Amino acid sequence: MTSDQPGREWKLVIHGGAGVIERGRMTPELERNLRAGLEAALEAGAAILGGGGSAVDAVEAAARTLENDVQFNAGRGAVLTFDGETELDAAIMEGSRRDAGAVAGVSNTRNPISLARAVMEKSPHVFLGSRGADRFAEEQGLEQAPPGYFDIPERRRQLEELKANDSDWFDVDMKFGTIGAVALDSSGHVAAATSTGGITGKRWGRIGDSPLIGAGTWADDRSCAVSATGSGEYFIRAAVAHEIAARIRFLGESAQAAADAVMADVKELGGNGGVIVVSAGGETVYSFNSEGMYRGTASPSGRSVAIYGDE
């Protein structure tokens, strides 16, 4: 990694989903692979931030790395809908001007987070959906996935298991979740990125909180950057990402206090999951009410990754 540039100390926090993540359900090989995937995402983002690059470049790079890893529910590793298809959602936001881009229900673009960024930078809009978003991706020359790219055998097995249980609904156990990244760069700007395949067995074009600016994704230099993961319907109802930023900005709370308070509200509503936060002042935070969350952090001082709630 290149040497750090003068200025504010950069920070990077990532997540790979939250939910029922217990040691008893994890094989040693799977745990090693998951930790390696988190390390790779930290490396991708830290290489940019350590060289004086921007927060938005760093979160896109970290998110793309996780999208390309079949172990995580985003991009190639996305779970399947009830009809056996992929519907991908993503959002990205930068904190200096609060520019944002988001997509929902896309099925052909290899890296949805890069499509969200193209929406932010190359279109007059913030949010594009479904076939229109895929068409925009083609017009922008973004890499499209070859046939079968998103059809991962393990995700197919999970869907078949769900249907074998005669469930009319989606996978409420939330064994896999969203991916995301938040960063503070040496210029003092924050950014957030979130990407997901949704939940196994989702129907009717369901869209969760991940691509919704203010719910699953938020960045504002006046407060913080947030990426969320969990039971999206509750995160939407609680406007989680913006609520954390508002508590920091208007109440003067620490990032940890704000995140914990909002996650307590989500729990009271009946939802579970977690958030990652980096404040404009450099505070890096995890807060989750589930058994575990795939997560990691990096700064000039070093890196760490964790999975379980007691780490």
Side-chain angles (χ1 to χ4, degrees):
M1 188 169 64
T2 56
S3 61
D4 302 308
Q5 301 296 311
R8 189 170 308 194
E9 185 177 86
W10 59 266
K11 301 290 179 66
L12 173 67
V13 190
I14 64 170
H15 72 76
V20 182
I21 303 170
E22 301 169 339
R23 283 186 173 87
R25 299 188 179 198
M26 190 84 67
T27 67
E29 181 182 13
L30 178 57
E31 181 173 334
R32 284 194 301 271
N33 291 340
L34 286 164
R35 291 182 186 273
L38 294 170
E39 291 276 8
L42 288 176
E43 171 64 28
I48 292 169
L49 293 167
S54 71
V56 71
D57 284 345
V59 296
E60 182 189 12
R64 282 176 60 97
T65 301
L66 293 170
E67 285 180 338
N68 292 338
D69 190 328
V70 297
Q71 299 171 110
F72 298 98
N73 176 19
R76 191 177 187 198
V79 297
L80 300 177
T81 69
F82 194 84
D83 295 326
E85 300 172 347
T86 51
E87 294 177 355
L88 311 175
D89 308 332
I92 195 166
M93 187 172 184
E94 62 84 32
S96 62
R97 290 172 40 87
R98 282 171 284 161
D99 288 334
V103 294
V106 301
S107 58
N108 297 329
T109 303
R110 181 170 180 144
N111 288 107
I113 197 64
S114 295
L115 175 52
R117 185 167 183 180
V119 173
M120 177 175 73
E121 296 179 343
K122 303 292 179 60
S123 85
H125 307 302
V126 170
F127 203 168
L128 299 181
S130 191
R131 289 175 295 179
D134 277 324
R135 187 165 61 249
F136 178 74
E138 293 176 4
E139 291 173 359
Q140 295 301 312
L142 295 179
E143 184 176 2
Q144 300 298 286
Y149 178 78
F150 297 113
D151 194 354
I152 304 301
E154 175 62 11
R155 298 311 196 204
R156 183 71 56 183
R157 185 199 65 77
Q158 291 165 5
L159 178 61
E160 291 171 354
E161 180 181 59
L162 181 78
K163 289 186 172 183
N165 292 331
D166 296 324
S167 174
D168 289 332
W169 298 97
F170 51 76
D171 179 11
V172 294
D173 286 340
M174 291 189 54
K175 294 182 286 293
F176 298 91
T178 309
I179 66 94
V182 294
L184 169 71
D185 62 33
S186 58
S187 296
H189 301 305
V190 297
T194 314
S195 181
T196 188
I199 44 183
T200 300
K202 66 180 180 178
R203 289 176 152 186
W204 311 301
R206 178 263 186 191
I207 298 169
D209 64 302
S210 299
L212 300 185
I213 303 302
T217 306
W218 184 257
D220 185 345
D221 283 357
R222 299 171 298 179
S223 54
C224 66
V226 182
S227 177
T229 175
S231 42
E233 280 68 18
Y234 297 95
F235 281 66
I236 294 170
R237 289 162 58 190
V240 163
H242 185 270
E243 188 81 353
I244 291 170
R247 294 181 75 101
I248 293 171
R249 184 180 172 206
F250 297 115
L251 298 182
E253 292 184 344
S254 69
Q256 190 70 64
D260 289 347
V262 175
M263 286 308 303
D265 183 41
V266 170
K267 185 175 182 179
E268 186 174 345
L269 289 174
N272 66 5
V275 295
I276 56 173
V277 185
V278 61
S279 74
E283 186 181 359
T284 55
V285 165
Y286 311 114
S287 184
F288 55 97
N289 60 22
S290 53
E291 288 84 347
M293 181 165 74
Y294 305 120
R295 58 201 189 274
T297 185
S299 73
S301 302
R303 301 176 200 165
S304 65
V305 298
I307 294 176
Y308 308 110
D310 59 1
E311 290 187 88

